[in-house]
Amino acid sequence: MRQFPWLLYVYPWMPYPRRIIIYLREKGIPSSTVTIVPVTDPQLGSQVDSRFPAKPPGSLPILAIPQDNHGAHFTYIRQSLAIMSYLDELCENGEEGFPRSRYSMRGADALQRAHVNGVIALADECTTQWNAIRLFGTGAGPFPLPDASNEMLRWVRRSLMTIEEAYKDRDMAPLIQSERDESATGSSVTLADIVLYQFLEFTVDCYGVDMTQGSGKIVKDVYGRDVLEKFPKLAEFYNAFKTRKSVVRDVEQGEVPPSTVLEKMRNWHKGSL
């Protein structure tokens, strides 16, 4: 059995680390098993608390797994999707000292996992494409090209339309978590839900854009086809998932962007949206 705690290095408010923070809370994995190590923004030197080893080289998030009792040697896992999938498999099988889960967030069988992976791919693509939108469309990027931002936004909506169709028959009620519900986990949550929610939350909280709100009109998609730009199921999903305790941002832990950064992210160039 490996030594604990494992260390998860994150920029707490940024999108890819945010996924794993939500995942750990949903799964009920305690900090004594996986400790979140906040890292200051890159512009501030990517510093960590002196109690922990320095940030490993590479983009965050990074999961550092101790290989000895002294914390001198680690095995590293990079990329948010790889980290979540790895931890979920350990929990599913009760390996490496992780408590056995009641359910898998990756899907109960091969067919469910295929559906989960399909939505993960689309939601992850949305997050990746948003980088171009912010670079071209907001004050957070150095390249003000509103037409390019607007075109990339159409590609993101194309992916969201596909997810809308995938979720059209899903009952979102089990996702709702009341204030009286002390349970940290729910058997209806999947990795796809976490990745999708993280994207929808990121655009609202950081850029002031609710991607669940389409025009409600028939528009031309990126291939010139007539489509209804409306996302009622995504809106239902988002409103249900945001009731969960796992998604509450901890200000003291740096899970809210600095006001100076928010100001730049919400400064949209005319014609970008």
Side-chain angles (χ1 to χ4, degrees), residues 1 15 62 65 76 105 113 139 168-169 181 199 244 265:
M1 185 183 300
I62 297 175
I65 304 172
Y76 299 110
M105 286 191 180
R113 289 183 183 184
K168 68 177 182 179
D169 297 323
D181 184 0
F199 169 71
R244 303 191 66 78
M265 291 191 291

Side-chain angles (χ1 to χ4, degrees), residues 13-273:
W13 67 266
M14 295 187 185
Y16 296 102
R18 173 96 174 126
R19 297 173 177 176
I20 310 180
I21 292 173
I22 294 173
Y23 169 81
L24 292 174
R25 292 171 180 167
E26 279 290 339
K27 206 68 177 180
I29 297 175
S31 60
S32 57
T33 300
V34 178
T35 298
I36 295 174
V37 181
V39 182
T40 62
D41 290 2
Q43 295 86 350
L44 301 177
S46 293
Q47 298 298 310
V48 303
D49 190 286
S50 59
R51 294 173 298 165
F52 304 107
K55 169 191 170 297
S59 300
L60 300 186
I62 297 175
L63 181 64
I65 304 172
Q67 299 299 295
D68 56 41
N69 293 324
H70 310 292
H73 300 90
F74 295 88
T75 292
Y76 299 110
I77 300 178
R78 293 171 168 84
Q79 303 299 323
S80 61
L81 298 181
I83 293 170
M84 290 189 296
S85 181
Y86 176 63
L87 293 178
D88 212 59
E89 186 168 351
L90 293 182
C91 290
E92 183 179 348
N93 299 320
E95 298 177 3
E96 300 283 8
F98 280 75
R100 184 181 294 274
S101 298
R102 294 184 292 107
Y103 68 99
S104 170
M105 286 191 180
R106 296 176 298 133
D109 54 39
L111 181 59
Q112 286 187 15
R113 289 183 183 184
H115 288 312
V116 168
N117 286 336
V119 174
I120 285 175
L122 290 166
D124 189 53
E125 188 176 71
C126 289
T127 306
T128 301
Q129 290 173 336
W130 192 264
N131 194 47
I133 294 170
R134 76 167 187 91
L135 285 174
F136 299 144
T138 76
F143 309 112
L145 297 172
D147 288 345
S149 171
N150 192 273
E151 181 63 22
M152 289 305 301
L153 193 62
R154 296 173 68 224
W155 283 92
V156 170
R157 289 197 174 109
R158 174 178 177 268
S159 295
L160 292 179
M161 286 178 184
T162 305
I163 300 175
E164 174 77 18
E165 179 67 18
Y167 276 20
K168 68 177 182 179
D169 297 323
R170 182 174 175 183
D171 180 9
M172 301 301 177
L175 292 174
I176 299 174
Q177 193 172 39
S178 69
E179 293 183 2
R180 292 175 295 179
D181 184 0
E182 297 300 325
S183 173
T185 60
S187 59
S188 59
V189 176
T190 69
L191 292 184
D193 292 336
I194 292 173
V195 176
L196 175 60
Y197 177 82
Q198 168 265 305
F199 169 71
L200 297 174
E201 174 201 61
F202 179 57
T203 60
V204 170
D205 287 1
C206 295
Y207 290 89
V209 179
D210 185 352
M211 290 301 295
T212 71
Q213 299 299 310
S215 66
K217 300 177 181 179
I218 299 294
V219 300
K220 296 289 185 183
D221 73 0
V222 292
Y223 294 117
R225 298 171 297 196
D226 289 334
V227 296
L228 177 61
E229 192 180 78
K230 192 175 182 181
F231 308 102
K233 208 63 184 180
L234 287 184
E236 185 184 350
F237 163 79
Y238 178 70
N239 288 326
F241 206 98
K242 72 179 182 181
T243 65
R244 303 191 66 78
K245 296 177 176 62
S246 63
V247 306
V248 177
R249 291 184 183 269
D250 189 332
V251 177
E252 293 184 357
Q253 292 301 312
E255 294 178 23
V256 175
S259 58
T260 54
V261 177
L262 275 175
E263 184 178 354
K264 293 179 181 179
M265 291 191 291
R266 295 181 177 179
N267 179 23
W268 287 90
H269 304 308
K270 185 177 180 180
S272 295
L273 296 175

